[in-house]
Amino acid sequence: MANAYAEYETKLPKSIMEEVKQHAAGATDAKLKKILAAVYIEYQRALVDPGEAVGNVAAESIGEPGTQMTLDTFHFAGVSEMNVTMGLPRLIEVLDARKTIGTAMMEVYLLPPYNAGQDIKKIAEKIKETSFREYILEFHIDVLEANMTIKLDKTKMDMVDATPDKLIKVLLKGLKGFEFTAIGTDTIVAKSAAKDEQLKDIYHLKEKIKDVYVNGVKGIKMVLPVKRGEEFLIVTAGTNLKKILAIEGVDTTRTTTNNIYEVEELLGIEAARQSIINEMNKVLDNQGIDIDVRHIMLASDTMSMSGHMLGISRYGIVKEKPSVLARASFETPLKHIFNAAITGEEDHLNSVIENVMLNQPVPLGTGLPRIVVRHFPKKVVKKAKAEVEA
Amino acid sequence: MPKKTPKKRSEAEEKPNFVVSDHVLVPKHEVCTEAEKKEVFDQYKVQPHQLPRITASDPAIRHLGVKVGDVIRITRKSDTAGEAVFYRIVSSE
């Protein structure tokens, strides 16, 4: 029984093998062989023919349902909620392999016991980039003394185990020319170290001090603990995969970001390829559009071909094309033709578009195979030679 | 003294506390032997420059100690085929 399977193990994909195994569980050895042979023929028949214009098919298959998508970013009026880039703008962003994306987000998975909800707020608070403004309850500026009393938010401080002394250390790092003294557990007094115009400095300080970075992961603007299924995870606005993965308690096997470049840099080109597929699927699912994953895989494979992520744009994969005419036919034709003329570039007319331009058969489908014809059969040549000699 | 601090930091950053190959997005990467390499070229009837590329500094293969010209076998999890084998050739940049 196992022998019959072994023969086709390398010939058929795993998913088809499993399907056969499931459906033909009770079959005898001889029957199984027949089944597998029939499946193999059917599989061969289903394969794409050499020379098929798969790129065109993919472009049409993604493009047509794409017209049904939301054309603009959603704005949630009034609520201080995030404006999430979705629909067509997001799709374009992914396919262009943009470095800066509209809504950078991360899904931070946690290891047990944190994923059951334990201390989730504390972890979320630790991850979030915090500036000093969030610790301030109120300012009080004493004009006569030329100092400023800052009342601190005690509950906020307890969340990250901060004390006025710790905060002062951070403030001294971020601001030059001021002296800070802690009073009690929730007050800091600031005084300018300059000799004159101390009051002016203090007023400046009042604004500057708000933006001093205190703790958390740089780039993480917002955190939102959510429950998905049975476990808790943290969704963030802003990304910094590298720093997040270094935090204890974070599940380093599942935490992801929607910034493809960060994925490429940290996890490699293959991970970035998968990430593009995931991101596109996310958009398409969201919009209720059904596109065969093969088309998306093709786009993603093409983008990752060179070992780096290249967008489907004139700066990305189009730039990599060897043909001058193919590049010129996409965007900015004059630029490409001028440059090619200056450097004396050659075009070997190996691809489709340049042959269309020159009114020649394209290497696609039946145009791909070439037939080499020997004008005179060997016999004829021999005969002619003999005649000449005679 | 002040010169030492940035050095220490970069060392700590170079050694991340996570394993790249454990991540769900990262498929299995293996280096092909010379015989396997030839088999790949024969099977697909391709020249080395026609294979998709992967940089030698790619995080997923950095620890494998590869050199330029090696062929990497990547076993992906596929939505359509269950498991799909893909090949990339190591390039310098």
Side-chain angles (χ1 to χ4, degrees), chain A residues 13-16 241-243 245-248 251-257 263-275 277-278 281 292-294 297 301 304-308 320, chain B residues 9 13-14 16-29 50-55 57-62 74-84 86-88 91 93:
Chain A
K14 205 177 169 188
S15 58
I16 293 182
L241 189 59
K242 196 175 188 173
K243 291 275 159 64
L245 288 182
I247 291 171
E248 226 185 287
D251 187 348
T252 56
T253 66
R254 288 185 299 160
T255 298
T256 54
T257 164
V263 174
E264 188 198 327
E265 192 190 319
L266 222 65
L267 300 170
I269 188 74
E270 276 293 321
R273 185 202 86 103
Q274 188 58 47
S275 164
I277 296 171
N278 294 352
N281 271 333
D292 196 298
V293 71
R294 275 162 266 241
M297 271 160 37
D301 271 336
S304 66
M305 207 67 143
S306 70
H308 287 292
E320 298 280 299
Chain B
R9 225 180 252 162
E13 270 177 358
E14 265 173 34
N17 70 332
F18 67 98
V19 187
V20 171
S21 54
D22 280 353
H23 200 278
V24 278
L25 288 175
V26 183
K28 194 166 128 200
H29 291 63
Q50 288 172 308
L51 278 184
R53 279 165 279 167
I54 186 167
T55 52
S57 59
D58 195 280
I61 57 165
R62 208 181 281 158
I74 296 153
T75 316
R76 295 169 175 168
K77 276 196 193 81
S78 164
D79 291 344
T80 50
E83 213 169 66
F86 197 76
Y87 296 94
R88 280 180 191 273
S91 72
E93 38 135 14

Side-chain angles (χ1 to χ4, degrees), chain A residues 8-19 43, chain B residues 80-83:
Chain A
Y8 287 94
E9 208 71 65
T10 52
K11 286 183 182 172
L12 287 171
K14 205 177 169 188
S15 58
I16 293 182
M17 284 304 277
E18 261 155 33
E19 217 172 306
Y43 173 68
Chain B
T80 50
E83 213 169 66

Side-chain angles (χ1 to χ4, degrees), chain B residues 35-50:
Chain B
E36 285 170 329
K37 213 165 129 178
K38 204 179 160 287
E39 217 171 86
V40 173
F41 291 146
D42 288 348
Q43 186 191 345
Y44 295 101
K45 298 189 179 66
V46 288
Q47 302 289 315
H49 73 91
Q50 288 172 308

Side-chain angles (χ1 to χ4, degrees), chain A residues 124-148:
Chain A
E125 213 53 53
K126 244 188 209 165
I127 287 173
K128 189 181 167 194
E129 179 180 351
T130 327
S131 50
F132 193 67
R133 89 174 63 224
E134 287 170 52
Y135 292 95
I136 302 165
L137 270 187
E138 61 178 53
F139 287 117
H140 178 80
I141 295 178
D142 192 328
V143 181
L144 282 179
E145 296 282 323
N147 67 11
M148 177 167 66

Side-chain angles (χ1 to χ4, degrees), chain A residues 16 81 100 115 169 186 207 232 248 260:
Chain A
I16 293 182
E81 211 171 339
T100 44
N115 66 354
K169 261 187 199 163
D186 60 349
E207 294 309 316
F232 285 87
E248 226 185 287
I260 280 125

